[in-house]
Amino acid sequence: MKLTLALAAAAVCAVSVSAEAQTLKTIQSRGVLNCGTGANLAGFAVPDANGVLTGINADYCRALAAAVFGDKSKVKFIQLPSKDRITALQSGETDLIAATTTWTMSRDTTLGQNFRATYYYDGQGFMVKKSLNIKSAKELSGASICIQQGTTTELNTADYFRKNNMKFEPVTFATNNEATEAYESGRCDAFTTDASGLYAERMRFKAPADHIVLPETISKEPLGYVTRHGDDQWFDIVTWVHFAQVTAEELGVTQANVDEMREKSDNPEIKRLLGKEGTFGEALGLKNDWAYNAIKATGNYGEMFERNLGQGSLLKIARGQNALWTNGGLQYAAPIR
């Protein structure tokens, strides 16, 4: 029995070593992180007036680059419509997908993708023009609805209308921009996507106040960062950078005070987080100040949320489910120990 267990353990180790596909080494040799993001969605990834990509996804990729290189600028953003993200990841064009990508079973098990941490808990909704005087999604029977292809919204919409014994006319488009432009121009009665996307897109309309988001949330849309199957080391790095940012918020470590916390805090959790105790960075294949560099680059999770999506942004989305678990939300990080 002992021999069998020993052989099994050796086999697991051998598989683990062979499964490390070289993503980190490739990135380090290339000298830049290739980050696949969404295409121009406010709050997540959109160029500012100077052409600099802003948003919570862009911030995360800068934090990831800082964890790997100690330099947040060593990132190349590759903006992709939903239909092209899987191909870009599988081909190696991108090292990860940091976009509004919903974690589903089929994506996790059949498409060569890995999800772990949910960085944003979302749900699909509908937007209509106020002039239609519609107050509920259940009043949309017979409506034409603009939908982006290659997203979970297609199936969710069909399921919702079927469950409620209603009919609708899907009007599909290859990109989110095409779908929203078609809706705004009057080609559809309603537009559907994740609720965060509805608020973001409404800000781009000529008259945002003329449009309302209906109250129903018709699905669970846990948005996650995505890596390729077969590289546990890189999967761990992508996961733990997010966990480090959530942990930093829990512990009160911010972009502004991270240096002081690193030098003066006696809290063992903060010492482990910021690389003053333990060798947790080495376990990832990184330097032990990996989390310190990530937090120094873009701040903790709450800071990123606030400036891109929350009250400090144009979107002004409430934290809600995305608050820390200590504040009644769902954001919860595994411990660094």
Side-chain angles (χ1 to χ4, degrees), residues 24 27-28 33 63-71 234 237 286-287 290:
L24 177 61
I27 293 167
Q28 290 172 329
L33 169 73
L64 185 59
V68 172
F69 294 110
D71 184 347
W234 182 238
I237 291 170
L286 303 176
K287 294 182 178 179
W290 62 282

Side-chain angles (χ1 to χ4, degrees), residues 38 41 44 57 82 85 98-102 107 119 122 194 196 223-224:
L41 184 62
F44 291 89
N57 293 153
S82 297
R85 293 174 192 168
T100 51
T101 305
T102 300
R107 287 176 173 176
Y119 74 87
D122 211 342
D194 294 349
S196 60
L223 307 183

